[in-house]
Amino acid sequence: MTAIREDRVFTQTDFDRFAALSGDDNPIHVDPVFSAETRFGRTVAHGMLLYTALWGLVRRHFPGAVQETQDLMFPAPTYAGETMRLEVDLLDRPAPDRLDLAVRVVAAADGTVTLDGRTRVRLTGGEFR
């Protein structure tokens, strides 16, 4: 498997919609006035919004994949309006129907990692593409 890469720009509207969908309306994500007074200086993405985008990328390349485990860290914030690179790399294939994947969100401008993790998926319904 070659590395999977996709660029994406998250918007404040994405943050607001994810907050409405998830119920996580922490002002650090949805209130620019509040966030301006924090150490971040502006709103930041929900960690699970970032992982949801990665999971969508995984599912487009591995249709029918089922997540078995995930381990995620968020070492830096993701801000609205910045180009981010979603990255998925094969780490291991512990069984014919299992893949261990590295997942990352990286700022395209300077390489700052904002999500770093791994996930194990079970393949269903055939081979991956």
Side-chain angles (χ1 to χ4, degrees):
M1 173 186 117
T2 59
I4 301 168
R5 302 288 186 263
E6 180 177 287
D7 284 350
R8 171 145 181 204
V9 176
F10 293 93
T11 66
Q12 186 61 51
T13 300
D14 293 328
F15 298 178
D16 296 342
R17 287 181 177 163
F18 191 81
L21 179 67
S22 68
D24 181 355
D25 60 358
N26 184 321
I28 196 69
H29 305 303
V30 297
D31 186 339
V33 173
F34 172 87
S35 298
E37 299 299 319
T38 71
R39 67 184 175 106
F40 300 115
R42 52 191 164 146
T43 57
V44 298
H46 301 75
M48 287 299 100
L49 170 61
L50 301 176
Y51 186 68
T52 298
L54 280 165
W55 183 242
L57 184 60
V58 169
R59 289 292 302 262
R60 283 193 299 280
H61 288 269
F62 308 111
V66 176
Q67 180 177 278
E68 292 189 336
T69 64
Q70 72 175 12
D71 181 20
L72 306 172
M73 296 184 308
F74 303 93
T78 297
Y79 299 109
E82 295 183 354
T83 302
M84 306 303 292
R85 187 177 324 100
L86 308 178
E87 301 182 348
V88 178
D89 293 297
L90 178 64
L91 294 173
D92 191 20
R93 190 161 191 174
D97 65 342
R98 302 290 195 279
L99 300 175
D100 288 341
L101 304 171
V103 292
R104 280 176 304 282
V105 176
V106 180
D110 65 7
T112 299
V113 175
T114 66
L115 181 154
D116 189 26
R118 64 185 292 155
T119 187
R120 174 170 287 175
V121 298
R122 178 173 44 88
L123 303 174
T124 62
E127 275 298 307
F128 59 89
R129 50 180 157 144

